[in-house]
Amino acid sequence: DQQVKQNSPSLSVQEGRISILNCDYTNSMFDYFLWYKKYPAEGPTFLISISSIKDKNEDGRFTVFLNKSAKHLSLHIVPSQPGDSAVYFCAASGTGNTGKLIFGQGTTLQVKP
Amino acid sequence: SAVISQKPSRDICQRGTSLTIQCQVDSQVTMMFWYRQQPGQSLTLIATANQGSEATYESGFVIDKFPISRPNLTFSTLTVSNMSPEDSSIYLCSVGGISGANVLTFGAGSRLTVL
């Protein structure tokens, strides 16, 4: 039972354009959502997060949107850069700082120069 | 954020053998977490390692298969016992961040291939 799903295994965009990565979840008890970026041979790196009490969080070129009614979140990268090419994981957690994150399968983003 | 070193970075193992992965953190942390990423799959939490107590395992993972040690606040080991090809995965050590235990910092991972 996949509680966090990233339905697009890959995405290709042109440098300078917007990248939109999507994530769906099934558990309404999730109250914190995170995006991680992973380069080959490296561990995932935290990118941005959002609490369930918000619908948007912005950090520089990265914005995460949360639609609780649709159980959907998205990561927008504007403008996209070739260095953004990586695997992006969406993750969710329940209440409390347990360290237990439920991850999606990841989306491979390729930004073409 | 914490800096995490894992050893080995990769290894090729024979079926039936065991391998211990080491995780060293550059600061003292209460909880350390071990995750697994099977090929083409998402990351899955194996267990939480607390210093001075038994590790807490997630559903589907057992201590006999994945024994964990946590001798102090900066170090932990995960052993993958009696390996089979299904254990071929990336094993990742992680710790919670200053802004909350759920903002995890990960090590680079240990890629195990079992033949």
Side-chain angles (χ1 to χ4, degrees), chain A residues 2 31-32 34 36 38 41-46 49 89 93-106, chain B residues 10 31 33 35 37 40-45 48 58 90 92 94 99-109 111:
Chain A
Q2 191 76 30
D31 71 348
Y32 197 68
L34 309 92
Y36 280 83
K38 186 181 185 301
E42 295 184 13
T45 303
F46 170 71
S49 63
F89 290 97
S93 70
T95 55
N97 287 324
T98 63
K100 180 175 182 178
L101 300 182
I102 309 297
F103 283 85
Q105 306 95 310
Chain B
R10 60 175 60 229
M31 293 191 291
F33 310 96
Y35 278 79
Q37 184 186 15
Q41 304 296 314
S42 59
L43 285 75
T44 302
L45 179 63
T48 302
E58 297 298 308
I90 301 173
L92 298 126
S94 64
S99 51
N102 288 341
V103 180
L104 300 179
T105 298
F106 286 87
R111 180 184 292 271

Side-chain angles (χ1 to χ4, degrees), chain A residues 77-96:
Chain A
I77 306 174
V78 181
S80 300
Q81 299 173 354
D84 295 329
S85 297
V87 179
Y88 288 78
F89 290 97
C90 162
S93 70
T95 55

